[in-house]
């Protein structure tokens, strides 16, 4: 099991998942190779706080394998949220050198700060 993504027409405007965004997310999941046997999925309803504590309006899930994590954050509020990513490196099996990056753009998250727009998702990879 994992994250289920589907495309629906963005109507009314600013709702649904647009094609470019959908394929971007699927590309990240594919690059991480989420289907492989060594990849464990931890859904938001089983959040073990291994990625740290996020605001109540943020749901967190992750794909994990030794030395790599793909974190999925969803903002359920109508406001932009910001928080610090404080991963438990031992629980996540990450080295001390693993740096968080935006999984869609490859841009490093300066100081481990995560920012998510209203009703949006953020994919963060650490390896």
């Amino acid at each position: 099991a994992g994250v289920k993504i589907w495309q629906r027409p963005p109507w009314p405007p600013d709702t649904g998942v647009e094609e470019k965004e959908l394929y971007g997310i699927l590309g990240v999941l594919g690059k991480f190779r989420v289907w492989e046997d060594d990849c464990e999925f931890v859904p938001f309803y089983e959040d073990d706080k291994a990625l740290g504590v996020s605001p109540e309006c943020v749901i967190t899930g992750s794909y994990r394998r030794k030395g790599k994590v793909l974190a999925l954050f969803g903002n359920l509020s109508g406001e932009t949220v910001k928080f610090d990513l404080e991963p438990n490196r031992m629980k996540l099996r990450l080295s001390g050198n693993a740096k968080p990056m935006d999984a869609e753009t490859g841009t490093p998250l300066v100081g481990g700060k995560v920012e998510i727009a209203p009703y949006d998702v953020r994919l963060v990879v650490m390896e």
Side-chain angles (χ1 to χ4, degrees):
V3 174
K4 304 264 190 272
I5 302 169
W6 62 91
Q7 184 177 12
R8 66 181 173 123
W11 188 261
D14 299 323
T15 65
V17 178
E18 294 186 6
E19 188 173 320
K20 181 178 178 185
E21 184 175 357
L22 172 70
Y23 290 125
I25 292 169
L26 292 173
V28 169
L29 295 174
K31 185 176 178 183
F32 198 79
R33 303 173 67 107
V34 299
W35 61 85
E36 290 191 356
D37 291 339
D38 71 331
C39 190
E40 171 192 13
F41 179 65
V42 179
F44 73 91
Y45 51 84
E46 292 178 8
D47 183 12
D48 60 2
K49 306 298 183 205
L51 295 165
V53 179
S54 55
E56 277 190 40
C57 62
V58 175
I59 57 174
T60 302
S62 60
Y63 286 97
R64 303 173 184 179
R65 59 170 31 107
K66 186 177 182 179
K68 294 174 80 170
V69 173
L70 175 59
L72 315 161
F73 299 102
N75 181 1
L76 302 177
S77 79
E79 299 179 13
T80 297
V81 294
K82 298 177 187 178
F83 60 96
D84 293 327
L85 184 61
E86 298 174 355
N88 180 327
R89 293 178 182 281
M90 183 174 287
K91 189 180 264 189
L92 295 170
R93 301 180 298 161
L94 289 173
S95 73
N97 298 332
K99 304 283 186 213
M101 295 188 310
D102 182 296
E104 293 178 87
T105 66
T107 307
L109 296 183
V110 179
K113 305 270 185 210
V114 178
E115 182 174 332
I116 313 171
Y119 306 113
D120 204 357
V121 297
R122 189 80 187 263
L123 307 177
V124 176
V125 69
M126 291 174 278
E127 58 183 307

